[in-house]
Amino acid sequence: MSNTIEARTHFTDLPNEIVLIIWKYLTHVETMRSFGSIRCHRYIRLLEDYCYKSVDFYTTTFSTFQLCCTQLLDQFRFNVKIFKLGHQNSYSQLRLFSRYCLSSSSLLDVFPQLEELVLRNIHDSDVNDLLPYLSSIPFIDKLTLNNCSLNKASQLICESLLSEITQNRSTSCILHSKNQRDGLSLSEQLPLSYQPQYSLTYLQIDVRDLVTLKYLLICLPNLLTLGPFFFYCERNFNLILLIDFHLGVDVKQNDEELFPVSFDPCSSLTKLIIRFKFFYHR
């Protein structure tokens, strides 16, 4: 005779409205870990509709992150449309996720329905770990890099953003740097492999100089919105100034060498917002 005591529960009898109220107090990852093992078709449908489509590991503990990557991944990966990676203050999720899930597969193999990718808190030493993620840029709608060393990652970002792939579907990029002296940088001699990217219409970015701005305008001819983005200048005083430049008028007048009268790369772009940040020279 078995000594196992089976306790009956009516938890699965709760209406959907009550279940969703409970889930409001949990992150999607916590919900997946707590309720993903319940063998109930109704719960599986609720998870697919309300949790599996957007996965964010921002506050996830290391043990739960490992569990999601190694045991729970197949439960939700085919439904994920928004994937957010990068812990708020500790371990490198990019490197770990690559080791667990991308050693023999691409990001789009893992998440075939992916539309938006958010990567956060990327340490300088982890910049090279961006490669398997950035290579997905042409095949998703939106990319966000937040708190990333854009200067160090400039080549990787531009190689993916301006790739020769003809069916590029990316429409929006938000690229924010780690500190006030960091930003994307493009050299005067652009590689021949860089091609104009016609699908991107929205760009928010921190740049190092106006040369980079010029080449971004040339390479992204269908932009509708550029900015607000930061342009960093070294001065002997501290000042943050927000200036709205109208392309074709103010920008050309401010720097005729970089932006001559004949310069008109983005026919759809009507307004350019630049935030100048000046910092002390030491």
Side-chain angles (χ1 to χ4, degrees):
M1 183 177 180
S2 174
N3 293 325
T4 302
I5 299 177
E6 294 186 2
R8 288 185 172 273
T9 177
H10 294 283
F11 191 80
T12 54
D13 296 332
L14 291 174
N16 292 351
E17 293 78 8
I18 300 300
V19 174
L20 293 177
I21 289 174
I22 295 172
W23 288 2
K24 285 183 179 180
Y25 293 90
L26 304 172
T27 66
H28 285 182
V29 175
E30 291 170 338
T31 302
M32 290 188 295
R33 179 173 184 175
S34 302
F35 293 87
S37 60
I38 297 178
R39 299 305 175 204
C40 172
H41 181 70
R42 183 168 63 91
Y43 271 67
I44 294 173
R45 288 297 303 273
L46 285 175
L47 286 168
E48 289 176 349
D49 291 339
Y50 292 95
C51 293
Y52 290 169
K53 292 180 180 180
S54 178
V55 177
D56 187 352
F57 290 116
Y58 188 60
T59 60
T60 305
T61 63
F62 180 68
S63 60
T64 300
F65 181 73
Q66 282 186 309
L67 182 68
C68 287
C69 293
T70 56
Q71 298 182 35
L72 302 181
L73 186 65
D74 283 338
Q75 289 185 15
F76 62 84
R77 72 183 187 90
F78 293 104
N79 298 88
V80 173
K81 294 186 176 182
I82 302 174
F83 185 55
K84 300 181 180 182
L85 201 59
H87 194 267
Q88 58 182 341
N89 54 25
S90 60
Y91 60 96
S92 173
Q93 292 182 346
L94 268 74
R95 184 169 298 178
L96 289 170
F97 189 83
S98 295
R99 183 188 307 165
Y100 289 134
C101 307
L102 304 181
S103 58
S104 58
S105 303
S106 71
L107 186 65
L108 292 172
D109 288 333
V110 177
F111 303 123
Q113 301 298 320
L114 188 65
E115 297 176 357
E116 179 178 348
L117 176 63
V118 178
L119 304 175
R120 296 171 297 212
N121 300 332
I122 303 159
H123 192 271
D124 289 1
S125 61
D126 296 335
V127 165
N128 289 333
D129 296 321
L130 285 169
L131 183 58
Y133 303 94
L134 294 181
S135 60
S136 66
I137 290 179
F139 308 102
I140 61 176
D141 296 329
K142 183 176 181 180
L143 170 74
T144 298
L145 289 183
N146 193 20
N147 197 20
C148 171
S149 179
L150 295 183
N151 191 31
K152 289 189 174 182
S154 290
Q155 183 176 351
L156 290 177
I157 293 172
C158 293
E159 285 177 352
S160 300
L161 185 63
L162 305 176
S163 66
E164 296 184 73
I165 296 175
T166 55
Q167 299 298 322
N168 199 315
R169 58 177 278 193
S170 179
T171 59
S172 174
C173 276
I174 299 175
L175 309 174
H176 287 167
S177 59
K178 293 179 69 69
N179 57 66
Q180 67 175 9
R181 302 193 185 200
D182 184 68
L184 190 78
S185 178
L186 286 173
S187 62
E188 288 279 0
Q189 298 297 326
L190 293 183
L192 295 177
S193 59
Y194 288 6
Q195 299 295 319
Q197 207 272 56
Y198 294 97
S199 64
L200 198 72
T201 58
Y202 180 86
L203 179 63
Q204 187 178 132
I205 189 172
D206 299 339
V207 298
R208 293 282 296 178
D209 47 50
L210 287 175
V211 172
T212 299
L213 168 62
K214 175 181 179 179
Y215 284 117
L216 284 174
L217 291 172
I218 292 173
C219 293
L220 304 171
N222 288 341
L223 276 180
L224 298 175
T225 304
L226 175 56
F229 72 92
F230 291 115
F231 172 68
Y232 300 103
C233 300
E234 196 165 343
R235 293 290 186 271
N236 58 358
F237 55 87
N238 244 348
L239 174 66
I240 297 179
L241 178 64
L242 176 62
I243 304 176
D244 288 358
F245 284 108
H246 292 268
L247 188 66
V249 182
D250 296 330
V251 173
K252 294 171 186 173
Q253 293 174 357
N254 275 275
D255 199 321
E256 293 182 0
E257 182 179 349
L258 280 174
F259 301 95
V261 174
S262 59
F263 183 77
D264 189 18
C266 300
S267 58
S268 301
L269 187 66
T270 59
K271 194 171 185 180
L272 172 64
I273 302 176
I274 303 179
R275 288 176 178 169
F276 283 91
K277 278 192 173 181
F278 300 93
F279 50 86
Y280 286 113
H281 175 69
R282 298 185 184 279

